[in-house]
Amino acid sequence: MEEDEGSARKLSIYRAARSIKRRENTVYNALRSIYEDSIFVGEISQLWPDLPLLANLRCGLWYSPKFHSTCYFKSTDGHNNNWSFSTSRLNLHVALLAGQKGGCIIVDSTRRGKRFPDSMSKTIPIWTCVLNRCIHNHLNNMRDTAQMDKESNTSDQHHERTRRVSVDWDCSLHLPLWVSETEKASIEIRIEEWTKQLDASGADIASLTTCLKKPLRPLWISQKTVIWLNEVPDHDSWDFTPIILVSASSSSGVIQHKSTSEYSWNYIPGAGDDEESWARGLSPNLFWTHVYDLINLGPDLCNQKVADIVEKDRVYRAQRGQTTPQVIVNAPKSLESSNHFSQEVPLLLGISNLEINTKSSDEDCAISWLGSTNLAVGTSQVAANVCNVDCILNCDQESISLFLPDAEAYLHLPTVTSKLDRFSLLSNLPFSVNFAKLNLSKGKTLLVCCHNGEDISVCICLAILTSLFNDGGTFDNGRSFNETHITKWEMRRRLVYICKFAPSARPSRGNLKQVFSFLTGGRVSSV
């Protein structure tokens, strides 16, 4: 009886705590907190105006009206005793962009009473260290090659420069002071293993080596950081390429009650996190379009205003047959009449000519051509307006209206994520690959699209590339696939290739597992 009363008491406390949290985490409190923190982000970005501002998805995307690009570093990869270096989220475009611009600023936040999320405290420092190790190894290989070939003075000068850079290249693990020495030592033990994994992934380290003149190194800035404005160094003065990590929110664990002359509100640290639970359909782009109307209305009228904004935006886009802004879609750089890659650009080689996507981060609606494979990945919303593809494979829940000359050039396979159905993708992969095989074998271009162009469509492209193209990058109707045992590392190498051309790719672990099950459980049938 006492146990039942104790359980009921604990349950009541839990419900009360949840009720209090719901009252505090109102839409207005979240939006007002984000707005206040965005002022700090804007001030920091102005200290180094030449450095591009990046949002770490998804929370960081709320904290500025305009980002240069996005990245995706997960806090779970930095959790204690769960440290990881993900070859599925290499974020190589961040390193290339930092090399081109001399550094970059990454924005994120955290709800907990910490100054920085684990994505900034450990995930990104691990990432910079592993990349630096790989670049250092590549420089050493270049030095050894140059030492064997001294045919001219130019070669001697190149050898001397390579030798000097490889010796000075910093490969140390740089962690913030609040990470204990014990935890740092445990992470350092794993660095070499992660470096070997990156080398084996097929990532284009040569392009990173060419682009980065100085090693990567993280720096940390929060609202508690003391900055003397007359002593802010120029980013070019450092002997490293800075990855400036800005934690947007205040780290106070105590609820901060704030008030104006008209109303009061509660400050929420890391308010942009878990947007599904509070945003009511509002996106960062819509928020910044109507920011002053929302902030000035106050808590009582905010909910209705958000509902009106979301509904008007939905109607506006529905009338135009889309749910995201129309964009100009660039055709693939090289579409040959033959159905194979250019011999100069094999599937698993470099991307030295790849341009970094500089679009606003909230407009993830363009399609990305995967090299010269005649294969593209994108969103279903933009697919309705694409006129330079021969056929479309739509994996969104909703069908789209198209004007394709051939009715057989469109296939709709509604697919949901692994969180909703563990086998939805797996059951549709055979039809997807066979549809791709039928069209790619005729030299046609194929767009694979889903709701966001980041997960399901990427996984289907991964299955297509692995099933229908050989290791040298030639379309072979699945011949090499049928003769090869696919390993996880081989699949990851193909995923790395996709991410070179589609930096916004964020395939979930559950969906990748389904792709691997498909690749290891069957063979491509003949058409």
Side-chain angles (χ1 to χ4, degrees):
M1 189 69 176
E2 293 181 359
E3 291 182 1
D4 293 340
E5 291 179 356
S7 300
R9 191 179 300 111
K10 290 180 180 179
L11 186 59
S12 298
I13 294 173
Y14 172 77
R15 287 177 176 173
R18 293 288 295 178
S19 177
I20 293 171
K21 185 176 181 180
R22 281 195 298 269
R23 286 199 299 268
E24 293 168 353
N25 292 352
T26 64
V27 174
Y28 184 80
N29 285 343
L31 296 180
R32 184 61 187 259
S33 301
I34 290 169
Y35 175 73
E36 296 292 330
D37 291 334
S38 72
I39 297 173
F40 167 71
V41 172
E43 291 173 348
I44 298 301
S45 65
Q46 287 305 307
L47 296 179
W48 296 279
D50 295 334
L51 296 185
L53 188 69
L54 280 68
N56 192 31
L57 297 173
R58 290 177 307 163
C59 181
L61 196 57
W62 287 88
Y63 289 92
S64 176
K66 187 173 180 59
F67 283 101
H68 188 280
S69 185
T70 63
C71 54
Y72 189 42
F73 294 97
K74 292 189 68 174
S75 287
T76 51
D77 291 336
H79 287 177
N80 198 1
N81 293 321
N82 191 48
W83 314 287
S84 178
F85 177 86
S86 174
T87 54
S88 300
R89 298 178 295 275
L90 284 178
N91 291 290
L92 293 185
H93 66 290
V94 177
L96 289 168
L97 185 60
Q100 292 173 1
K101 303 296 184 179
C104 67
I105 303 172
I106 299 177
V107 178
D108 203 352
S109 186
T110 180
R111 281 182 178 272
R112 303 175 184 178
K114 300 185 297 187
R115 291 175 64 186
F116 292 85
D118 285 339
S119 61
M120 290 184 163
S121 294
K122 286 165 281 188
T123 304
I124 295 178
I126 289 172
W127 174 80
T128 59
C129 181
V130 172
L131 260 60
N132 284 335
R133 294 277 181 98
C134 278
I135 293 172
H136 182 259
N137 292 341
H138 186 79
L139 286 169
N140 285 338
N141 292 336
M142 291 173 60
R143 180 196 62 192
D144 295 341
T145 301
Q147 194 169 7
M148 297 172 60
D149 184 16
K150 295 183 179 181
E151 297 178 354
S152 64
N153 291 333
T154 303
S155 178
D156 290 341
Q157 293 171 2
H158 176 71
H159 167 256
E160 176 59 26
R161 177 184 175 279
T162 304
R163 185 199 65 79
R164 185 174 64 254
V165 171
S166 64
V167 170
D168 296 338
W169 200 264
D170 183 11
C171 295
S172 304
L173 174 63
H174 295 278
L175 293 171
L177 296 177
W178 53 87
V179 177
S180 68
E181 289 297 322
T182 301
E183 188 172 3
K184 180 179 181 180
S186 298
I187 294 173
E188 285 181 324
I189 293 174
R190 295 165 170 80
I191 293 293
E192 191 61 32
E193 175 188 349
W194 293 327
T195 303
K196 292 178 181 178
Q197 290 178 2
L198 178 57
D199 281 329
S201 71
D204 189 9
I205 304 302
S207 291
L208 288 179
T209 304
T210 302
C211 187
L212 282 167
K213 305 305 179 185
K214 303 175 185 178
L216 299 167
R217 183 168 176 176
L219 299 174
W220 295 268
I221 295 179
S222 73
Q223 292 197 25
K224 289 188 176 181
T225 303
V226 178
I227 300 177
W228 300 98
L229 296 181
N230 61 337
E231 297 181 4
V232 174
D234 186 85
H235 66 273
D236 288 333
S237 65
W238 288 317
D239 58 356
F240 53 84
T241 302
I243 306 295
I244 301 175
L245 307 178
V246 178
S247 183
S249 298
S250 171
S251 60
S252 174
V254 180
I255 298 174
Q256 300 178 39
H257 298 278
K258 300 189 177 185
S259 61
T260 66
S261 58
E262 299 177 359
Y263 44 76
S264 61
W265 57 282
N266 295 329
Y267 173 77
I268 304 173
D273 192 22
D274 193 23
E275 60 193 47
E276 290 87 357
S277 66
W278 62 267
R280 297 175 179 242
L282 192 71
S283 67
N285 188 48
L286 283 176
F287 166 61
W288 286 107
T289 301
H290 303 276
V291 58
Y292 297 113
D293 289 339
L294 290 167
I295 297 303
N296 293 332
L297 277 176
D300 295 336
L301 301 177
C302 184
N303 284 4
Q304 185 59 48
K305 183 64 176 179
V306 168
D308 292 343
I309 290 171
V310 172
E311 178 62 15
K312 287 180 180 179
D313 182 71
R314 185 193 67 79
V315 172
Y316 175 84
R317 303 200 185 285
Q319 291 174 343
R320 289 155 180 78
Q322 59 174 35
T323 56
T324 55
Q326 294 188 33
V327 295
I328 297 175
V329 181
N330 295 324
K333 294 181 180 180
S334 175
L335 292 178
E336 302 178 344
S337 59
S338 59
N339 56 15
H340 55 77
F341 292 108
S342 169
Q343 293 300 317
E344 288 78 15
V345 192
L347 179 64
L348 300 176
L349 294 185
I351 54 166
S352 57
N353 295 323
L354 176 63
E355 295 181 359
I356 301 300
N357 178 22
T358 59
K359 286 175 52 59
S360 173
S361 59
D362 201 40
E363 297 176 356
D364 297 332
C365 50
I367 67 173
S368 301
W369 289 96
L370 306 183
S372 53
T373 62
N374 283 3
L375 186 65
V377 61
T379 66
S380 54
Q381 291 85 3
V382 79
N385 302 299
V386 174
C387 58
N388 60 340
V389 297
D390 298 320
C391 45
I392 293 177
L393 171 57
N394 177 22
C395 306
D396 200 349
Q397 289 293 291
E398 301 295 330
S399 185
I400 52 180
S401 299
L402 297 169
F403 300 96
L404 296 173
D406 185 0
E408 295 183 355
Y410 175 70
L411 177 63
H412 182 210
L413 293 174
T415 308
V416 297
T417 64
S418 58
K419 289 184 178 180
L420 299 177
D421 186 339
R422 291 186 300 163
F423 304 105
S424 178
L425 177 61
L426 181 60
S427 63
N428 283 327
L429 281 176
F431 304 102
S432 301
V433 171
N434 284 329
F435 179 75
K437 181 180 180 180
L438 175 65
N439 290 281
L440 292 175
S441 63
K442 299 176 182 178
K444 295 183 177 181
T445 56
L446 170 64
L447 168 62
V448 181
C449 58
C450 65
H451 176 69
N452 57 19
E454 299 173 351
D455 187 0
I456 294 174
S457 56
V458 170
C459 288
I460 290 178
C461 285
L462 175 60
I464 292 171
L465 285 175
T466 308
S467 300
L468 302 179
F469 293 83
N470 66 17
D471 194 45
T474 302
F475 178 83
D476 67 354
N477 280 319
R479 186 169 54 255
S480 60
F481 172 71
N482 289 333
E483 298 171 353
T484 306
H485 175 68
I486 298 297
T487 64
K488 287 185 178 180
W489 274 112
E490 180 60 29
M491 190 181 78
R492 288 175 183 173
R493 284 167 63 86
R494 303 298 176 110
L495 180 58
V496 167
Y497 172 79
I498 292 174
C499 292
K500 291 175 183 179
F501 299 97
S504 62
R506 295 190 292 152
S508 65
R509 182 174 300 177
N511 286 337
L512 287 175
K513 286 182 178 180
Q514 293 180 70
V515 174
F516 185 67
S517 295
F518 166 75
L519 295 175
T520 56
R523 292 291 180 260
V524 177
S525 61
S526 59
V527 177

